Amino acid sequence: MTFVPHYCDTAPQHEVHAVYHEQEYGFPVAHDHSLFERLALEINQAGLSWEIVLRKRAAIWESFRGFNPKIVAEFGTKELDSLLANPGIIRNRLKIESIIHNARVISNLAQAFGSFSGWLSAQHPLPLEEWTILFKKTFKFTGKEITREFLMSTGYLQGAHKEDCPVFRRIVALKPPWLGA
């Protein structure tokens, strides 16, 4: 069996991963723009390293207008072409089209549940298998890994940090949804 280091083993000393590990990964997220960004980043990461996504994050954020779902939901051919021509982001047509589609879905969920966060809270708690089925049915470009990482990164599933990681204690103090508090 090959030892695979946990993110907590490698991220704290890394020039790119450290800040995300220490300040964002696993912390509860309630704001729809932040939730949409996390979903889009996880979609962008598929098949690539997380470091590439983190290095391109600022350009992705700017290109997707701060991840305001209402604005991105209105993107059309002009915006799609602009995104596909932008060397600062990950220019994968399927990923970009799914992010735009998912903005429309999130906007509809916000109308029905008050917010994307409200929709997530209405579904919680579910085991990963049920979350995966729900995400595949609801969103584009979301399989088990993207769903798991999105939910762990936003505090809906446990597992972002090892229990002996100092960040774990900070997250528990914030009472993330996975804690059931």
Side-chain angles (χ1 to χ4, degrees):
M1 180 179 216
T2 306
F3 172 73
V4 178
H6 192 276
Y7 199 54
C8 296
D9 298 328
T10 59
Q13 300 80 28
H14 195 277
E15 68 174 290
V16 176
H17 293 279
V19 172
Y20 183 73
H21 172 268
E22 300 290 322
Q23 298 175 14
E24 294 184 72
Y25 190 51
F27 285 81
V29 177
H31 192 271
D32 281 4
H33 295 189
S34 298
L35 287 166
F36 178 38
E37 178 190 22
R38 293 286 179 86
L39 182 59
L41 293 176
E42 293 300 340
I43 288 168
N44 272 292
Q45 189 275 328
L48 302 171
S49 76
W50 188 239
E51 183 173 345
I52 290 171
V53 174
L54 290 177
R55 287 189 186 276
K56 291 184 175 275
R57 187 177 187 183
I60 295 169
W61 185 87
E62 184 176 323
S63 297
F64 283 95
R65 311 296 201 295
F67 288 101
N68 182 325
K70 290 179 183 176
I71 293 173
V72 177
E74 298 297 323
F75 280 14
T77 303
K78 177 183 164 194
E79 290 84 1
L80 175 62
D81 291 343
S82 176
L83 291 165
L84 289 169
N86 183 345
I89 68 169
I90 295 159
R91 296 179 291 175
N92 177 301
R93 179 180 288 276
L94 290 175
K95 291 177 181 184
I96 292 170
E97 288 176 343
S98 70
I99 292 166
I100 295 168
H101 170 85
N102 292 342
R104 295 175 184 135
V105 171
I106 289 168
S107 294
N108 290 336
L109 292 173
Q111 287 181 333
F113 290 87
S115 64
F116 183 25
S117 176
W119 178 80
L120 288 165
S121 295
Q123 313 310 313
H124 190 271
L126 291 174
L128 178 57
E129 295 74 25
E130 290 181 35
W131 277 116
T132 302
I133 292 167
L134 181 62
F135 266 61
K136 281 180 151 184
K137 184 173 82 174
T138 308
F139 302 104
K140 284 190 176 178
F141 214 101
T142 55
K144 184 177 181 179
E145 289 304 310
I146 289 171
T147 301
R148 180 177 61 84
E149 283 299 324
F150 168 76
L151 293 168
M152 282 193 333
S153 78
T154 57
Y156 284 90
L157 281 181
Q158 186 176 4
H161 295 270
K162 294 177 5 181
E163 290 187 23
D164 64 350
C165 176
V167 178
F168 180 85
R169 290 187 295 282
R170 291 177 32 224
I171 290 170
V172 167
L174 295 172
K175 297 182 170 76
W178 63 259
L179 195 58

